[in-house]
Amino acid sequence: MSIYYDNSNRVFHLRSSNSSYIIQIVKGGIPAHIYWGPKLGGESFQHPLDLVERASFSPSFLQEDKTYSLDTLPREFPSYGNGDFREPALEVYLQDGTTVTDFRYEGYTVRKGKPRLEGLPSSYVEGEDEADTLEIVLLDVKSGLKATLLYTAFNNLDAITRSVRIENLGQDKVVLNRVLSANVDFHHSDFDMLQLSGTWARERHVHKRSLVPGIHRIDSKRGSSSHQQNPFMALLAKDATEHHGEVYGFSLVYSGSFLAQAEVDQYGMTRVGVGIQPFDFQWLLEPGDAFQAPEAVLVRSAEGLGGMSRTYHKLYRTRLCRGKFRDEQRPILINNWEATYFNFNADKIKEIAYAGKELGLELFVLDDGWFGKRDSDDSSLGDWVEDRRKLPEGLGKLGEDITAMGMQFGLWFEPEMVSPNSNLYREHPDWCLHVPGHIRTLARQQLILDLSRQDVRDYIIDSVSSVLSSAPITYVKWDMNRNMTEIGSALLPPERQRETGHRYILGLYEVMESIVTRFPHILFESCSGGGGRFDPGMLYYMPQTWTSDDTDAVERLKIQYGTSMVYPASSMGAHVSAIPNHQVQRNTPLETRGHVAMSGNFGYELDLTKLSASECEDIRQQVAQYKELRMLIQSGDFYRLLSPFEGNETAWMFVSEDRKEAFAAYFKVLAEPNAPLSRLRLKGLDPDKSYCLQQNGEVYRGDELMYFGLSIPRLEGDFRSQLFVLKEI
């Protein structure tokens, strides 16, 4: 059991593998946050909170105790209106027009294992002994609202999950204006805050800043987790580095608009909140109704950012991703998008597929343009019927021909969208998100289908399933290429219109659950203009995501490095593309492009039929090498060695769980005249093992490799790379 309750002190002690998280029910029945730090040996905790009387501008919650103010109390679930002036986790609008609630402790339950969250993705356990779950029940007597705080502590990982369920036990309707999934009040503000920010083709760059008084906020109001911000933040102790020091991570398992923030108050305390974006959000709770917030995953590391990342990687790779492909090796693919765009026919597709087969590739993916009358991006989304002009014998025959070559066959979809120039839109113009009387804003010449509607969800499930049943398809790239505008639904009443955004995400999860369950043999990769919806919620349904539409190897160094802060290599789609690169027009060596792409789910996105003989031979060797390293990359422990955000060099490595194998990749962006000699110090090896460097047969002890390092050869020219493959002898 990893959760203990001391009744005499009303203390809950949650213990993960190396950390303790302590909650105390203090005077007045308020859950207070006491401690989150290194694992404590005792089951109870008897140190009282330090409270002092403040000025009258921090009002006393209890008349008999002037030191007791909600404005200064570290809280687990702050609501609005009774003396806590910091950002609340919950705000409601009551029938009498007021917004004040007063939640008090009612009781608790501890159970083994981890329950599922209804209608939402979440981490899971495969045996009850892997985790324990605490439910703390709070009640606001006046409104009849019940809040159940859910905590799960994993026994073998330094992770605790949190969420909240709100139930209306009263007689009146209640409107939820704000429901955050987790709130943690730290007793100081001596932190740096790290976030992953960017834009299309430049996603998840690492940014770090010191906390100062006020609110530090990252969020999305776009209807998806977004290219611009990722639903993740971390607080770092001032001495924390990549490999050392205390780090606290917060990751939201949700794919819609979100909020993550750190607020430093007047007394130097830090309040962290994470959950659904409150902006333009409401949820009407009728008597008897309940609302379930998504899950937040909290990770503490004493081994710097790297330790935090490896915890997230293992949890998300093995206890968030599901299905056949969670543990199976992923195929090496060739995608035709940058080779042909919309201009192809069946013969051209088969030529590329055959060339891929000859080079050792395993999967051909037919991208956008195979359906309706899709010759550009201005038509046919929603009309999921094969285009017989391009594919005279149909999709099924094309798939059979490619399968007969010994290649798997995959397909691109964008099921959530509709083109105004489509049969679907002409028949059902009210099926898109829209607000009557307002313009329907286009992006990429398309609108968004209203997934809050059951008839729309049924159409998507049926039409996509029909195509997937018509051909030997083993892979689907599921794309989503715009953000939400005019967020309204034709079927929702006025008082529920601000539920549309969240109902869309719930509908999306329902659609995905149905389709991936019907087709368990298909590997699904999510995409949103690349990394516009790279979040844990999507990984629950689709175990990998197209990391970015930017395939330039140099740009990918920062994108993949930043993505690795939270997400495992097994979740990252990474391709070698043609040069000059289609996004930045850069020319990089094929070797370097291959080495960058090998650090994820490997593939190619170019016209293989136009390569020279020497280029084909290089690709053949890349493919063979990746096949030898594939499972190490997909399931090994990941270590970041040199940051592209701090200099001209980047390096990272993968180490097998038994520490018998390792693969390190080194990249130098720009050449330097008369450059200094340097060594690459590795991480994660067994100091007592001996390893053979496969390139030259030299043998090194693990401690030598980690503390003295490997010599980096002199690399001539810009954009160069070097691989190091090590095996125990």
Side-chain angles (χ1 to χ4, degrees):
M1 180 67 70
S2 57
I3 297 175
Y4 306 92
Y5 180 61
D6 175 4
N7 187 58
S8 60
N9 293 299
R10 305 180 87 186
V11 166
F12 296 95
H13 186 174
L14 291 72
R15 290 201 287 208
S16 55
S17 60
N18 293 296
S19 300
S20 286
Y21 187 106
I22 296 176
I23 306 159
Q24 185 174 23
I25 309 302
V26 296
K27 289 183 288 187
I30 306 298
H33 179 77
I34 304 299
Y35 176 84
W36 185 19
K39 194 172 187 175
L40 303 178
E43 294 181 2
S44 186
F45 189 84
Q46 300 181 19
H47 297 273
L49 278 173
D50 294 325
L51 300 174
V52 297
E53 183 177 355
R54 299 291 187 177
S56 60
F57 290 98
S58 291
S60 301
F61 184 64
L62 300 175
Q63 292 301 315
E64 65 273 17
D65 187 351
K66 301 299 184 182
T67 70
Y68 193 69
S69 171
L70 296 186
D71 194 32
T72 61
L73 187 72
R75 301 177 66 186
E76 281 294 303
F77 189 68
S79 58
Y80 174 75
N82 51 4
D84 188 341
F85 300 106
R86 297 164 291 179
E87 293 274 299
L90 180 72
E91 182 187 2
V92 304
Y93 183 77
L94 302 174
Q95 191 81 354
D96 61 6
T98 64
T99 56
V100 177
T101 52
D102 183 9
F103 283 88
R104 307 293 184 100
Y105 175 73
E106 282 288 304
Y108 78 97
T109 302
V110 175
R111 67 175 74 178
K112 295 189 70 63
K114 184 177 189 295
R116 293 186 61 180
L117 299 185
E118 184 178 354
L120 286 165
S122 62
S123 57
Y124 59 89
V125 296
E126 292 190 338
E128 287 190 344
D129 59 340
E130 292 182 9
D132 297 297
T133 296
L134 167 67
E135 297 185 1
I136 295 178
V137 177
L138 310 177
L139 186 65
D140 176 51
V141 175
K142 180 178 182 298
S143 68
L145 284 176
K146 173 184 173 182
T148 303
L149 312 184
L150 301 169
Y151 303 78
T152 294
F154 286 85
N155 293 320
N156 298 316
L157 290 167
D158 248 340
I160 292 173
T161 66
R162 288 193 58 180
S163 64
V164 60
R165 185 173 61 251
I166 307 296
E167 298 173 71
N168 185 0
L169 306 182
Q171 303 299 313
D172 298 323
K173 297 178 182 180
V174 173
V175 176
L176 305 179
N177 288 331
R178 178 188 188 100
V179 187
L180 299 188
S181 298
N183 183 93
V184 178
D185 282 358
F186 292 90
H187 296 255
H188 65 91
S189 58
D190 198 19
F191 292 114
D192 291 327
M193 174 178 160
L194 184 142
Q195 65 194 64
L196 304 177
S197 306
T199 184
W200 174 80
R202 190 165 39 82
E203 299 91 339
R204 290 173 301 285
H205 282 205
V206 176
H207 296 268
K208 188 171 72 170
R209 49 182 160 150
S210 294
L211 293 186
V212 297
I215 297 176
H216 306 251
R217 173 181 292 131
I218 58 171
D219 66 356
S220 169
K221 303 178 184 72
R222 295 171 174 266
S224 67
S225 48
S226 85
H227 298 86
Q228 288 69 27
Q229 306 288 354
N230 196 261
F232 160 80
M233 62 176 288
L235 295 186
L236 289 64
K238 287 296 184 179
D239 61 349
T241 65
E242 175 64 33
H243 307 295
H244 306 285
E246 199 159 43
V247 175
Y248 297 88
F250 301 82
S251 176
L252 186 65
V253 186
Y254 188 63
S255 307
S257 297
F258 75 92
L259 170 69
Q261 65 182 27
E263 178 183 8
V264 177
D265 73 7
Q266 58 191 329
Y267 300 117
M269 295 174 62
T270 303
R271 169 166 292 178
V272 174
V274 59
I276 294 173
Q277 170 64 261
F279 178 83
D280 201 41
F281 165 85
Q282 283 186 340
W283 197 271
L284 176 62
L285 275 186
E286 300 275 2
D289 286 353
F291 179 86
Q292 175 64 58
E295 179 172 278
V297 180
L298 283 55
V299 167
R300 176 194 162 271
S301 166
E303 298 176 350
L305 286 166
M308 176 202 71
S309 296
R310 286 185 288 279
T311 297
Y312 276 121
H313 294 175
K314 187 169 185 179
L315 179 61
Y316 286 173
R317 187 179 68 244
T318 66
R319 292 298 181 266
L320 180 70
C321 294
R322 303 174 297 160
K324 171 185 177 182
F325 292 96
R326 186 191 75 176
D327 302 317
E328 284 193 8
Q329 66 182 24
R330 313 283 171 81
I332 306 171
L333 65 82
I334 172 65
N335 182 298
N336 73 294
W337 178 240
E338 290 193 14
T340 67
Y341 293 102
F342 296 103
N343 185 25
F344 61 83
N345 57 32
D347 290 339
K348 180 61 178 178
I349 292 302
K350 286 188 279 189
E351 285 179 15
I352 297 174
Y354 182 77
K357 171 60 180 175
E358 291 295 290
L359 298 176
L361 279 65
E362 300 158 328
L363 165 67
F364 175 84
V365 179
L366 177 59
D367 211 282
D368 196 355
W370 58 267
F371 55 93
K373 296 180 180 178
R374 183 80 164 171
D375 297 323
S376 65
D377 64 5
D378 63 358
S379 75
S380 302
L381 288 174
D383 297 343
W384 299 111
V385 179
E386 61 210 351
D387 184 352
R388 291 285 179 147
R389 298 173 304 151
K390 297 178 182 179
L391 309 176
E393 296 182 280
L395 198 62
K397 182 62 166 63
L398 177 64
E400 291 169 2
D401 290 346
I402 290 175
T403 301
M405 298 176 190
M407 292 278 279
Q408 298 178 53
F409 181 55
L411 199 60
W412 178 95
F413 276 97
E414 195 170 3
E416 301 166 59
M417 301 293 154
V418 62
S419 301
N421 182 14
S422 68
N423 293 331
L424 180 65
Y425 186 78
R426 284 184 282 270
E427 294 172 8
H428 300 286
D430 63 329
W431 275 17
C432 68
L433 294 177
H434 68 281
V435 175
H438 285 267
I439 187 174
R440 300 185 180 190
T441 304
L442 296 180
R444 201 175 181 252
Q445 305 299 314
Q446 60 198 54
L447 297 165
I448 304 177
L449 289 171
D450 180 3
L451 269 66
S452 74
R453 297 174 56 140
Q454 187 65 56
D455 50 0
V456 173
R457 298 197 296 272
D458 290 342
Y459 172 79
I460 294 174
I461 293 170
D462 292 344
S463 60
V464 172
S465 296
S466 178
V467 175
L468 296 181
S469 300
S470 71
I473 295 167
T474 59
Y475 167 100
V476 163
K477 182 179 179 180
W478 183 295
D479 212 343
M480 190 277 284
N481 277 308
R482 62 158 293 179
N483 292 139
M484 291 182 183
T485 57
E486 294 84 49
I487 305 175
S489 173
L491 293 190
L492 291 176
E495 65 270 21
R496 291 193 179 273
Q497 283 297 321
R498 292 178 72 182
E499 300 176 8
T500 305
H502 182 56
R503 286 186 180 275
Y504 178 97
I505 297 299
L506 295 178
L508 172 64
Y509 292 152
E510 178 187 312
V511 167
M512 288 184 165
E513 181 70 23
S514 176
I515 291 176
V516 302
T517 302
R518 288 189 188 189
F519 300 95
H521 67 286
I522 292 179
L523 170 60
F524 287 86
E525 178 178 276
S526 68
C527 177
S528 177
R533 205 164 58 185
F534 202 132
D535 59 67
M538 297 304 293
L539 292 182
Y540 183 76
Y541 303 97
M542 302 182 177
Q544 63 188 57
T545 300
W546 180 226
T547 313
S548 176
D549 278 349
D550 191 340
T551 55
D552 174 66
V554 174
E555 288 295 312
R556 274 300 188 105
L557 293 175
K558 289 184 176 180
I559 293 169
Q560 291 175 206
Y561 187 98
T563 303
S564 75
M565 285 289 165
V566 192
Y567 305 102
S570 61
S571 68
M572 294 188 226
H575 297 173
V576 175
S577 61
I579 55 171
N581 175 263
H582 290 196
Q583 289 79 47
V584 299
Q585 301 302 306
R586 196 188 333 259
N587 288 296
T588 52
L590 178 58
E591 179 182 55
T592 301
R593 284 176 276 154
H595 291 169
V596 173
M598 279 186 191
S599 301
N601 292 314
F602 192 39
Y604 292 82
E605 192 160 329
L606 42 74
D607 192 342
L608 298 174
T609 68
K610 294 181 178 179
L611 301 180
S612 67
S614 63
E615 287 174 322
C616 287
E617 181 56 31
D618 289 343
I619 287 177
R620 190 176 285 109
Q621 292 179 14
Q622 285 180 354
V623 169
Q625 183 171 37
Y626 183 76
K627 288 179 178 178
E628 291 184 0
L629 298 170
R630 175 161 40 191
M631 291 312 297
L632 171 61
I633 293 167
Q634 288 182 193
S635 61
D637 292 332
F638 183 76
Y639 293 84
R640 293 179 292 268
L641 306 178
L642 296 171
S643 169
F645 298 98
E646 297 177 1
N648 192 39
E649 301 168 295
T650 303
W652 50 56
M653 67 181 293
F654 301 85
V655 182
S656 63
E657 189 173 358
D658 59 12
R659 296 196 283 180
K660 292 183 177 182
E661 292 183 86
F663 156 58
Y666 168 85
F667 307 92
K668 188 170 186 177
V669 176
L670 296 178
E672 298 175 83
N674 199 24
L677 300 178
S678 57
R679 308 185 69 85
L680 184 65
R681 288 192 290 272
L682 306 185
K683 294 289 180 181
L685 302 175
D686 187 326
D688 298 322
K689 291 184 186 293
S690 293
Y691 296 90
C692 177
L693 181 61
Q694 298 298 291
Q695 285 88 328
N696 58 19
E698 294 288 333
V699 176
Y700 306 86
R701 282 177 52 86
D703 52 3
E704 296 171 354
L705 293 167
M706 291 190 292
Y707 308 137
F708 185 65
L710 282 170
S711 294
I712 298 174
R714 295 177 69 88
L715 301 174
E716 301 294 333
D718 296 336
F719 321 129
R720 298 300 307 277
S721 62
Q722 179 72 37
L723 297 190
F724 303 94
V725 179
L726 297 158
K727 293 190 178 181
E728 181 192 11
I729 61 170

mmCIF file of all heavy atoms in Angstrom, residues 78-80 88-93 99 101 175-180 278 281:
data_model
loop_
_atom_site.group_PDB
_atom_site.id
_atom_site.type_symbol
_atom_site.label_atom_id
_atom_site.label_comp_id
_atom_site.label_asym_id
_atom_site.label_seq_id
_atom_site.Cartn_x
_atom_site.Cartn_y
_atom_site.Cartn_z
ATOM 1 N N PRO A 78 -8.545 24.857 -3.987
ATOM 2 C CA PRO A 78 -9.127 26.159 -3.636
ATOM 3 C C PRO A 78 -10.322 26.503 -4.517
ATOM 4 O O PRO A 78 -10.272 26.377 -5.742
ATOM 5 C CB PRO A 78 -7.966 27.117 -3.896
ATOM 6 C CG PRO A 78 -7.135 26.441 -4.944
ATOM 7 C CD PRO A 78 -7.257 24.976 -4.672
ATOM 8 N N SER A 79 -11.390 26.911 -3.896
ATOM 9 C CA SER A 79 -12.544 27.445 -4.621
ATOM 10 C C SER A 79 -12.603 28.949 -4.380
ATOM 11 O O SER A 79 -11.831 29.503 -3.604
ATOM 12 C CB SER A 79 -13.841 26.768 -4.179
ATOM 13 O OG SER A 79 -14.042 26.926 -2.784
ATOM 14 N N TYR A 80 -13.538 29.592 -5.064
ATOM 15 C CA TYR A 80 -13.562 31.052 -5.081
ATOM 16 C C TYR A 80 -14.556 31.637 -4.070
ATOM 17 O O TYR A 80 -15.634 31.098 -3.878
ATOM 18 C CB TYR A 80 -13.935 31.550 -6.483
ATOM 19 C CG TYR A 80 -14.134 33.043 -6.555
ATOM 20 C CD1 TYR A 80 -13.043 33.906 -6.536
ATOM 21 C CD2 TYR A 80 -15.409 33.591 -6.601
ATOM 22 C CE1 TYR A 80 -13.215 35.283 -6.577
ATOM 23 C CE2 TYR A 80 -15.594 34.974 -6.644
ATOM 24 C CZ TYR A 80 -14.495 35.802 -6.628
ATOM 25 O OH TYR A 80 -14.664 37.162 -6.669
ATOM 26 N N PRO A 88 -8.336 30.356 -8.241
ATOM 27 C CA PRO A 88 -8.973 29.145 -7.713
ATOM 28 C C PRO A 88 -8.859 27.973 -8.686
ATOM 29 O O PRO A 88 -8.591 28.152 -9.878
ATOM 30 C CB PRO A 88 -10.433 29.575 -7.558
ATOM 31 C CG PRO A 88 -10.630 30.562 -8.674
ATOM 32 C CD PRO A 88 -9.322 31.296 -8.804
ATOM 33 N N ALA A 89 -9.082 26.781 -8.164
ATOM 34 C CA ALA A 89 -9.210 25.596 -9.013
ATOM 35 C C ALA A 89 -10.650 25.414 -9.470
ATOM 36 O O ALA A 89 -10.894 24.784 -10.500
ATOM 37 C CB ALA A 89 -8.742 24.353 -8.258
ATOM 38 N N LEU A 90 -11.604 25.966 -8.711
ATOM 39 C CA LEU A 90 -13.025 25.810 -9.038
ATOM 40 C C LEU A 90 -13.735 27.148 -8.875
ATOM 41 O O LEU A 90 -13.553 27.843 -7.880
ATOM 42 C CB LEU A 90 -13.679 24.771 -8.121
ATOM 43 C CG LEU A 90 -15.177 24.512 -8.350
ATOM 44 C CD1 LEU A 90 -15.396 23.751 -9.653
ATOM 45 C CD2 LEU A 90 -15.785 23.745 -7.183
ATOM 46 N N GLU A 91 -14.554 27.472 -9.879
ATOM 47 C CA GLU A 91 -15.442 28.628 -9.775
ATOM 48 C C GLU A 91 -16.782 28.237 -10.374
ATOM 49 O O GLU A 91 -16.838 27.683 -11.484
ATOM 50 C CB GLU A 91 -14.875 29.842 -10.513
ATOM 51 C CG GLU A 91 -15.757 31.077 -10.369
ATOM 52 C CD GLU A 91 -15.292 32.230 -11.227
ATOM 53 O OE1 GLU A 91 -14.309 32.062 -11.971
ATOM 54 O OE2 GLU A 91 -15.935 33.292 -11.171
ATOM 55 N N VAL A 92 -17.861 28.517 -9.647
ATOM 56 C CA VAL A 92 -19.194 28.132 -10.108
ATOM 57 C C VAL A 92 -20.125 29.339 -10.072
ATOM 58 O O VAL A 92 -19.885 30.317 -9.356
ATOM 59 C CB VAL A 92 -19.785 26.991 -9.245
ATOM 60 C CG1 VAL A 92 -18.863 25.793 -9.222
ATOM 61 C CG2 VAL A 92 -20.071 27.471 -7.834
ATOM 62 N N TYR A 93 -21.173 29.248 -10.869
ATOM 63 C CA TYR A 93 -22.229 30.264 -10.887
ATOM 64 C C TYR A 93 -23.494 29.596 -10.375
ATOM 65 O O TYR A 93 -23.997 28.642 -10.982
ATOM 66 C CB TYR A 93 -22.419 30.796 -12.302
ATOM 67 C CG TYR A 93 -23.442 31.899 -12.418
ATOM 68 C CD1 TYR A 93 -23.146 33.203 -12.026
ATOM 69 C CD2 TYR A 93 -24.719 31.630 -12.919
ATOM 70 C CE1 TYR A 93 -24.087 34.216 -12.140
ATOM 71 C CE2 TYR A 93 -25.664 32.632 -13.033
ATOM 72 C CZ TYR A 93 -25.348 33.922 -12.643
ATOM 73 O OH TYR A 93 -26.282 34.922 -12.746
ATOM 74 N N THR A 99 -21.305 33.467 -6.714
ATOM 75 C CA THR A 99 -20.237 32.560 -7.150
ATOM 76 C C THR A 99 -19.417 32.038 -5.975
ATOM 77 O O THR A 99 -18.318 31.529 -6.164
ATOM 78 C CB THR A 99 -19.304 33.283 -8.143
ATOM 79 O OG1 THR A 99 -18.810 34.471 -7.543
ATOM 80 C CG2 THR A 99 -20.024 33.633 -9.429
ATOM 81 N N THR A 101 -18.459 29.509 -2.994
ATOM 82 C CA THR A 101 -18.635 28.139 -2.503
ATOM 83 C C THR A 101 -17.704 27.912 -1.322
ATOM 84 O O THR A 101 -16.696 28.605 -1.162
ATOM 85 C CB THR A 101 -18.339 27.099 -3.599
ATOM 86 O OG1 THR A 101 -17.050 27.369 -4.168
ATOM 87 C CG2 THR A 101 -19.400 27.130 -4.682
ATOM 88 N N VAL A 175 -23.786 26.223 -12.725
ATOM 89 C CA VAL A 175 -22.922 26.380 -13.892
ATOM 90 C C VAL A 175 -21.469 26.394 -13.428
ATOM 91 O O VAL A 175 -21.081 27.212 -12.580
ATOM 92 C CB VAL A 175 -23.241 27.679 -14.659
ATOM 93 C CG1 VAL A 175 -22.257 27.870 -15.819
ATOM 94 C CG2 VAL A 175 -24.667 27.653 -15.181
ATOM 95 N N LEU A 176 -20.674 25.471 -13.969
ATOM 96 C CA LEU A 176 -19.243 25.447 -13.689
ATOM 97 C C LEU A 176 -18.545 26.415 -14.641
ATOM 98 O O LEU A 176 -18.658 26.285 -15.863
ATOM 99 C CB LEU A 176 -18.684 24.038 -13.878
ATOM 100 C CG LEU A 176 -19.363 22.910 -13.091
ATOM 101 C CD1 LEU A 176 -18.701 21.580 -13.416
ATOM 102 C CD2 LEU A 176 -19.299 23.188 -11.595
ATOM 103 N N ASN A 177 -17.852 27.391 -14.093
ATOM 104 C CA ASN A 177 -17.089 28.334 -14.904
ATOM 105 C C ASN A 177 -15.612 27.962 -15.009
ATOM 106 O O ASN A 177 -14.927 28.412 -15.925
ATOM 107 C CB ASN A 177 -17.174 29.747 -14.319
ATOM 108 C CG ASN A 177 -18.543 30.364 -14.522
ATOM 109 O OD1 ASN A 177 -19.244 30.049 -15.478
ATOM 110 N ND2 ASN A 177 -18.932 31.252 -13.610
ATOM 111 N N ARG A 178 -15.157 27.159 -14.069
ATOM 112 C CA ARG A 178 -13.732 26.829 -14.016
ATOM 113 C C ARG A 178 -13.575 25.548 -13.217
ATOM 114 O O ARG A 178 -14.039 25.464 -12.075
ATOM 115 C CB ARG A 178 -12.971 27.981 -13.336
ATOM 116 C CG ARG A 178 -11.482 27.806 -13.154
ATOM 117 C CD ARG A 178 -10.965 28.957 -12.295
ATOM 118 N NE ARG A 178 -9.519 28.992 -12.197
ATOM 119 C CZ ARG A 178 -8.746 29.802 -12.903
ATOM 120 N NH1 ARG A 178 -9.287 30.639 -13.772
ATOM 121 N NH2 ARG A 178 -7.432 29.791 -12.748
ATOM 122 N N VAL A 179 -12.924 24.538 -13.813
ATOM 123 C CA VAL A 179 -12.630 23.289 -13.102
ATOM 124 C C VAL A 179 -11.228 22.853 -13.497
ATOM 125 O O VAL A 179 -11.024 22.280 -14.570
ATOM 126 C CB VAL A 179 -13.626 22.162 -13.439
ATOM 127 C CG1 VAL A 179 -13.362 20.961 -12.536
ATOM 128 C CG2 VAL A 179 -15.064 22.625 -13.315
ATOM 129 N N LEU A 180 -10.245 23.154 -12.655
ATOM 130 C CA LEU A 180 -8.885 22.692 -12.914
ATOM 131 C C LEU A 180 -8.699 21.285 -12.343
ATOM 132 O O LEU A 180 -9.321 20.916 -11.344
ATOM 133 C CB LEU A 180 -7.867 23.650 -12.309
ATOM 134 C CG LEU A 180 -7.898 25.091 -12.836
ATOM 135 C CD1 LEU A 180 -6.716 25.878 -12.290
ATOM 136 C CD2 LEU A 180 -7.914 25.133 -14.358
ATOM 137 N N PRO A 278 -10.306 27.855 -18.726
ATOM 138 C CA PRO A 278 -11.572 28.447 -18.254
ATOM 139 C C PRO A 278 -12.154 29.476 -19.225
ATOM 140 O O PRO A 278 -13.369 29.717 -19.208
ATOM 141 C CB PRO A 278 -11.172 29.123 -16.931
ATOM 142 C CG PRO A 278 -9.862 28.527 -16.557
ATOM 143 C CD PRO A 278 -9.185 28.177 -17.846
ATOM 144 N N PHE A 281 -15.363 28.815 -21.362
ATOM 145 C CA PHE A 281 -15.841 27.500 -20.929
ATOM 146 C C PHE A 281 -16.934 27.665 -19.885
ATOM 147 O O PHE A 281 -16.831 28.493 -18.975
ATOM 148 C CB PHE A 281 -14.694 26.693 -20.322
ATOM 149 C CG PHE A 281 -15.146 25.470 -19.535
ATOM 150 C CD1 PHE A 281 -15.403 24.279 -20.178
ATOM 151 C CD2 PHE A 281 -15.320 25.545 -18.154
ATOM 152 C CE1 PHE A 281 -15.816 23.156 -19.460
ATOM 153 C CE2 PHE A 281 -15.738 24.436 -17.425
ATOM 154 C CZ PHE A 281 -15.988 23.239 -18.085
#
